[in-house]
Amino acid sequence: MSNWVPTTCMRCAVGCGHIHRGADIGVGVDTVRGDPAHPVTEGLACARGLRETKDPGGEWLTRPLVRDGGELVRTTWDVALARATQGLCIAHDRTPDAVAILGSGQQTNEAAYALGKLARGGFGTRHYDANTSLCMASAVTAYYQAFGSDAPPCTYADIPDADRHVIWGANPAVAHPVLFRWIQQAADENGVEIVVVDPVRSETASNATHHVAPDPGKDLALARAVLAHLVATNRVDHSFVDRATDGFETLYPSLPSPAAAATAAGVGMESIELLAAALDLDALIYWGMGVNQHVQGTETARALIDLCLASGNLRPGTGPFSLTGQANSMGTRICSSKGTWPGQRPFADPDHRRVVADHWGVPVDRLPDDPGPGPVGLLESDPVEAIWTVATNPAAGMPDADRARETLADAFLVAQDAFRTETTALADVVLPAATWGESAGTTTNMERMISRIRPATEPPSGVRSDLEIIQTIGSRLFPSLFPDASPDPAAVFAEFTALTAGTVADCSGITYERLAESHAVRWPAPDTETAGGYRYYDDESWSFPTASGRAQFSTGRQDPLPEPTDDDYPLTLTTARAGDEYNTGVRSRVGTRAPVVRLHPDTVCDHRDHVVDDRIAIETRRGSVTARIDPDDGVPAGLVWLPIHHPAINRLTLSDRDPQSKEPHFKQCAVRLTAPADQPQSKHENSSSEL
């Protein structure tokens, strides 16, 4: 019987420790369990993470594919790699920015680092990003602006010490079940409460002490109403504000009246007082995609940070805590060179650019001058001619997805993935990659813990790891940058951590040997004996890596939504995560299932003439999707709820973006309900003969 192998779950960013073992005959994972020895979760694990690790429901890719006569056909690795490198090279010879590369929060730290090194130090393209920017870019930008560094200041250890858990625009009961279990356990203590802010009565709201339901997209107005109420009722912690922050004197006169802001948010003053009272105590404010995926996502995230600053909730047991979605989103933020250089080195800083160029052995002028237009802007940019996607599915995951599919179909497209997706169906070259249970490396969870990923089984014979594929292509195109086409993950990790030495995200004290002994280590870890804890705070003293050494307040105010309702499109669509669908559902698809639309019974009644066999069509100015109706009085009348990770849904959503973070506005757009019609098939679908 195979041995148990410790590893880390790669479904979400909680970072649960798993132990798994491979099948005794052939390849594959036979059994997966929570790992009691793992310091992050001590044996806890959610059923979906276990199931999708052992037996994912997606359609596996097992051989390389190339397009021949309009069809995808099986081929050898030599042919597929030759075709991929040729297409990328032709585009690069025209101009570096003709090559676009999209990575993922599903990659290991090592693969993400190597992909960024290849994109920035090899191709020299500014058209490089990752799908993590579709989820977390607004939180990242807010942290940098407020604190001078990315990532939450708090850790999981702060959850039991908080008196109030304010969960804003997030549904961890579905998205992060183990984390929500910790919150619930904390709330079982006498006097500890959970307050949920969400337009919909979500699974989290149904298990909370209180539920505040603002109008969709009006979270910034709500946050400003709470802050204005704290000011009006003399509850600001002026001692902390004076000692540790800048900008309150600029923010104060710009605040609306509490009542006016409450009205703009669609809530009563009793809800404002409820939230203000929560901040009188030791409070953690968690937030998720309901805040980030908005044209004012950065300003809203900063407004939540402002609430923590104004109330003095920036010490252990308190603080702002963004809930990261993908398993290694945090890793891409510190190692992939997509928004900053490794270690959060500022992208435009000439000294840091020189350090990176010297570390990679490339001329500094090869590095692009700016981090690029973001993932949506990348697909809209000229002169992109070749696109390489790694463990991501932009054909379904991008907003206004039909437009994204047209761009992908027009380009020379290399799609690297473990499963068949809408993107692989459009590709000129498909490179089958190893997945969880088959790959080696590390990952970084939402509280900055780095831990090992270990394989329990060899991948199938026609499949290679992400890291091997990236370095093979790199060695063929830029051999001096990638002299070894058969990389050792430990060596790549050591190269990455060495580049972080002396930075705010210093990982240079973390090694594979240390991880073997400790299971997980939190950054910053500048030497082999220390590890990170609560950031910016030390014994009633605060220090931040900002120009002044202080945290910064912001002055954002609520603006109108980018696509308000009107007579033609009188309802508002919102999107959110369903429990069994994640990352466009590539690991959980069993056949073709129509999406489920949640509607208030009154909304269903108002549109009963359009209902056919419990189905209805949802239309926007960009497209139409037919869904099965689930009447739900937890969804307000006039609101239409759809699961964002169903592959059809982003045909409806807007490509408008936050101007600061470049994150798309996935959450609200104007829709109408009509009778279902036969769904037109995209001209790009079903274009392969062998997948």
Side-chain angles (χ1 to χ4, degrees):
M1 182 173 290
S2 300
N3 294 326
W4 289 105
V5 178
T7 190
T8 308
C9 181
M10 289 293 285
R11 189 179 199 272
C12 80
V14 172
C16 296
H18 281 181
I19 52 173
H20 57 175
R21 63 186 181 194
D24 291 328
I25 300 175
V27 297
V29 176
D30 178 71
T31 309
V32 187
R33 297 175 182 170
D35 183 1
H38 199 282
V40 172
T41 49
E42 299 178 333
L44 291 178
C46 79
R48 288 190 293 271
L50 296 174
R51 182 175 65 248
E52 290 188 23
T53 299
K54 178 182 181 295
D55 190 24
E59 185 175 345
W60 295 78
L61 293 166
T62 58
R63 292 280 300 276
L65 307 168
V66 294
R67 193 165 296 280
D68 184 8
E71 299 288 328
L72 281 171
V73 297
R74 292 185 178 186
T75 190
T76 66
W77 270 101
D78 283 343
V79 169
L81 289 168
R83 184 81 63 88
T85 53
Q86 179 186 40
L88 293 168
C89 187
I90 289 171
H92 181 253
D93 285 347
R94 292 194 175 98
T95 174
D97 289 341
V99 176
I101 300 175
L102 273 172
S104 168
Q106 293 295 300
Q107 297 173 266
T108 63
N109 288 321
E110 293 78 3
Y113 171 77
L115 187 65
K117 179 182 176 182
L118 177 53
R120 303 302 201 187
F123 291 109
T125 182
R126 64 189 293 271
H127 292 140
Y128 164 63
D129 215 297
N131 61 10
T132 55
S133 296
L134 301 174
C135 305
M136 297 305 299
S138 295
V140 170
T141 305
Y143 282 133
Y144 275 118
Q145 292 177 357
F147 300 141
S149 175
D150 178 28
C154 28
T155 74
Y156 297 157
D158 297 298
I159 293 173
D161 296 330
D163 296 316
R164 290 292 182 273
H165 298 270
V166 181
I167 303 173
W168 199 307
N171 189 12
V174 165
H176 304 99
V178 170
L179 174 71
F180 188 60
R181 179 173 175 177
W182 292 330
I183 295 172
Q184 286 184 298
Q185 288 173 339
D188 286 341
E189 298 295 324
N190 187 37
V192 177
E193 296 181 352
I194 301 172
V195 182
V196 170
V197 178
D198 196 316
V200 173
R201 190 173 68 240
S202 65
E203 292 84 349
T204 302
S206 296
N207 286 279
T209 318
H210 307 283
H211 177 208
V212 176
D215 288 344
K218 298 303 176 70
D219 300 274
L220 182 51
L222 179 59
R224 287 312 190 210
V226 176
L227 181 54
H229 189 56
L230 289 175
V231 172
T233 53
N234 297 313
R235 291 145 85 177
V236 172
D237 185 341
H238 287 288
S239 175
F240 171 80
V241 169
D242 292 344
R243 292 171 62 188
T245 74
D246 287 330
F248 185 73
E249 68 284 351
T250 303
L251 168 61
Y252 170 73
S254 73
L255 289 172
S257 74
T263 299
V267 303
M269 282 302 299
E270 69 281 358
S271 295
I272 304 303
E273 172 56 29
L274 173 69
L275 289 164
L279 295 169
D280 289 337
L281 304 170
D282 287 346
L284 283 165
I285 299 182
Y286 313 84
W287 77 89
M289 303 308 108
V291 169
N292 294 336
Q293 292 176 333
H294 191 287
V295 289
Q296 291 187 278
T298 300
E299 290 179 312
T300 306
R302 289 206 67 185
L304 300 184
I305 295 171
D306 288 345
L307 290 176
C308 293
L309 297 179
S311 59
N313 275 296
L314 200 68
R315 51 172 54 84
T318 74
F321 201 157
S322 57
L323 301 181
T324 305
Q326 289 191 74
N328 201 29
S329 178
M330 185 64 72
T332 68
R333 287 149 66 175
I334 61 168
C335 69
S336 72
S337 302
K338 72 180 186 69
T340 60
W341 301 111
Q344 298 187 8
R345 295 179 181 273
F347 207 89
D349 185 288
D351 294 334
H352 286 289
R353 292 169 61 82
R354 171 61 64 187
V355 169
V356 173
D358 290 348
H359 196 74
W360 290 345
V362 300
V364 71
D365 59 4
R366 182 181 297 178
L367 306 181
D369 295 330
D370 67 78
V376 178
L378 179 154
L379 293 185
E380 295 177 352
S381 297
D382 287 328
V384 170
E385 299 176 10
I387 301 172
W388 179 11
T389 66
V390 180
T392 187
N393 185 18
M398 290 288 185
D400 195 2
D402 282 344
R403 183 178 175 185
R405 292 183 192 202
E406 291 174 3
T407 299
L408 293 164
D410 289 343
F412 175 79
L413 177 61
V414 180
Q416 178 175 324
D417 212 307
F419 298 94
R420 176 180 177 173
T421 70
E422 288 72 19
T423 302
T424 63
L426 301 176
D428 297 283
V429 180
V430 177
L431 304 176
T435 185
W436 319 344
E438 303 169 346
S439 300
T442 59
T443 187
T444 312
N445 77 355
M446 72 172 78
E447 61 152 0
R448 297 174 277 122
M449 278 282 201
I450 294 177
S451 59
R452 282 296 313 275
I453 297 170
R454 296 178 178 90
T457 181
E458 293 293 325
S461 59
V463 172
R464 300 183 182 182
S465 73
D466 279 330
L467 180 59
E468 183 181 358
I469 296 168
I470 292 162
Q471 294 226 172
T472 300
I473 292 175
S475 68
R476 293 188 177 197
L477 292 175
F478 308 101
S480 62
L481 189 62
F482 291 94
D484 186 359
S486 300
D488 171 25
V492 177
F493 184 76
E495 179 184 328
F496 151 65
T497 59
L499 190 48
T500 70
T503 69
V504 293
D506 194 333
C507 301
S508 60
I510 306 176
T511 64
Y512 272 36
E513 292 75 18
R514 185 178 180 185
L515 292 174
E517 180 179 346
S518 303
H519 290 273
V521 179
R522 184 183 297 111
W523 64 261
D527 58 63
T528 58
E529 301 299 322
T530 60
Y534 198 98
R535 303 180 80 194
Y536 316 127
Y537 172 88
D538 183 21
D539 192 23
E540 291 303 305
S541 177
W542 291 266
S543 178
F544 303 88
T546 60
S548 67
R550 294 166 168 258
Q552 306 295 305
F553 277 98
S554 65
T555 58
R557 293 281 294 270
Q558 182 77 53
D559 291 334
L561 295 177
E563 188 177 70
T565 58
D566 57 23
D567 290 342
D568 292 328
Y569 296 89
L571 307 175
T572 298
L573 169 67
T574 191
T575 60
R577 186 177 300 165
D580 291 329
E581 293 175 351
Y582 195 50
N583 290 325
T584 70
V586 297
R587 298 183 69 90
S588 56
R589 298 184 192 178
V590 180
T592 302
R593 295 181 295 183
V596 174
V597 57
R598 294 166 61 188
L599 299 169
H600 191 278
D602 289 349
T603 305
V604 177
C605 184
D606 290 343
H607 296 82
R608 58 186 177 275
D609 291 342
H610 299 317
V611 177
V612 178
D613 297 328
D614 294 326
R615 296 158 60 245
I616 200 162
I618 302 95
E619 291 186 4
T620 71
R621 292 176 173 87
R622 291 155 295 284
S624 175
V625 170
T626 295
R628 182 169 55 84
I629 297 171
D630 177 16
D632 185 347
D633 61 8
V635 176
L639 189 67
V640 177
W641 186 102
L642 283 170
I644 192 169
H645 289 295
H646 189 285
I649 300 308
N650 279 320
R651 288 176 168 174
L652 307 177
T653 53
L654 286 168
S655 62
D656 293 58
R657 300 180 286 285
D658 182 316
Q660 299 182 68
S661 68
K662 306 182 184 73
E663 183 164 349
H665 186 99
F666 281 109
K667 290 304 177 190
Q668 299 88 29
C669 64
V671 302
R672 63 189 175 201
L673 302 179
T674 63
D678 290 339
Q679 289 294 288
Q681 191 174 62
S682 168
K683 63 182 179 182
H684 308 310
E685 291 180 350
N686 296 330
S687 58
S688 65
S689 60
E690 292 190 75
L691 288 176

